[in-house]
């Protein structure tokens, strides 16, 4: 798996995405099906959150705005289909139309731990958006 931090929304590659983006002044998110072409409304200054998944390329884009905009691109093309289907969790998207279940891949990494000397333990490093159920 390759993880890349992007500097701006313009760096997001064209793709056939499913997901959503949420503008800072909006009351609900905007659903994306196809290309990602965000449009800010009169009340919004930035995109506060976005989750995009390109099933064909196996690329996930996640945008978060906490104290600054953080755009992370996850290339999951090297992750097996079995792992993508088994190491997942889903949450209800309450503010999305029809309340779909948003699906996330849990990325675990084996590391040493001071509480388990001499043993490796799995630590969850990321929950990566991988579409809608």
């Amino acid at each position: 798996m390759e993880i890349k931090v992007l500097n701006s929304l313009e760096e997001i590659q064209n793709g056939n995405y499913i997901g959503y983006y949420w503008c800072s002044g909006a009351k609900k998110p905007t659903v994306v099906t196809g290309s990602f072409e965000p449009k800010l409304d009169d009340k919004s200054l930035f995109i506060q959150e976005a989750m995009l998944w390109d099933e064909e390329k196996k690329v996930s884009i996640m945008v978060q705005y906490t104290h600054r905009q953080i755009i992370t691109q996850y290339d999951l093309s090297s992750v097996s289909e079995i792992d993508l289907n088994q190491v997942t969790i889903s949450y209800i998207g309450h503010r999305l139309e029809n309340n779909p279940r948003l699906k996330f891949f849990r990325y675990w990494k084996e590391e040493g731990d001071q509480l388990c000397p001499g043993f490796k333990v799995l630590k969850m490093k990321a929950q990566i958006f991988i579409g809608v159920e």
Side-chain angles (χ1 to χ4, degrees):
M1 179 173 68
E2 182 183 337
I3 302 171
K4 183 178 179 182
V5 176
L6 306 178
N7 295 313
S8 70
L9 294 173
E10 289 75 29
E11 289 185 36
I12 296 175
Q13 297 176 358
N14 290 335
N16 186 19
Y17 294 108
I18 186 164
Y20 69 91
Y21 67 93
W22 201 329
C23 296
S24 62
K27 294 191 186 284
K28 62 180 185 173
T30 301
V31 173
V32 174
T33 53
S35 61
F36 177 59
E37 299 169 354
K39 294 175 180 68
L40 296 176
D41 58 27
D42 294 340
K43 300 174 187 172
S44 299
L45 300 174
F46 54 87
I47 292 176
Q48 67 183 7
E49 179 177 289
M51 295 193 189
L52 307 167
W53 172 246
D54 186 323
E55 178 69 33
E56 185 178 311
K57 295 178 185 173
K58 302 286 189 244
V59 170
S60 179
I61 307 286
M62 298 178 72
V63 178
Q64 302 167 328
Y65 196 105
T66 49
H67 59 289
R68 63 183 173 86
Q69 196 168 52
I70 301 168
I71 307 165
T72 310
Q73 174 180 296
Y74 299 92
D75 182 345
L76 300 174
S77 59
S78 64
V79 176
S80 75
E81 283 296 320
I82 293 170
D83 285 343
L84 274 180
N85 291 324
Q86 290 182 347
V87 190
T88 62
I89 190 166
S90 62
Y91 302 99
I92 296 172
H94 290 287
R95 299 226 176 140
L96 290 168
E97 190 174 318
N98 299 324
N99 300 325
R101 294 195 69 86
L102 306 176
K103 195 163 120 177
F104 293 84
F105 171 69
R106 288 184 160 182
Y107 172 58
W108 297 83
K109 187 173 181 183
E110 196 175 84
E111 295 181 346
D113 188 310
Q114 66 183 15
L115 298 176
C116 300
F119 293 97
K120 300 272 185 178
V121 297
L122 289 175
K123 294 187 179 184
M124 189 170 56
K125 296 298 182 176
Q127 283 195 129
I128 303 165
F129 179 70
I130 58 167
V132 178
E133 289 183 341

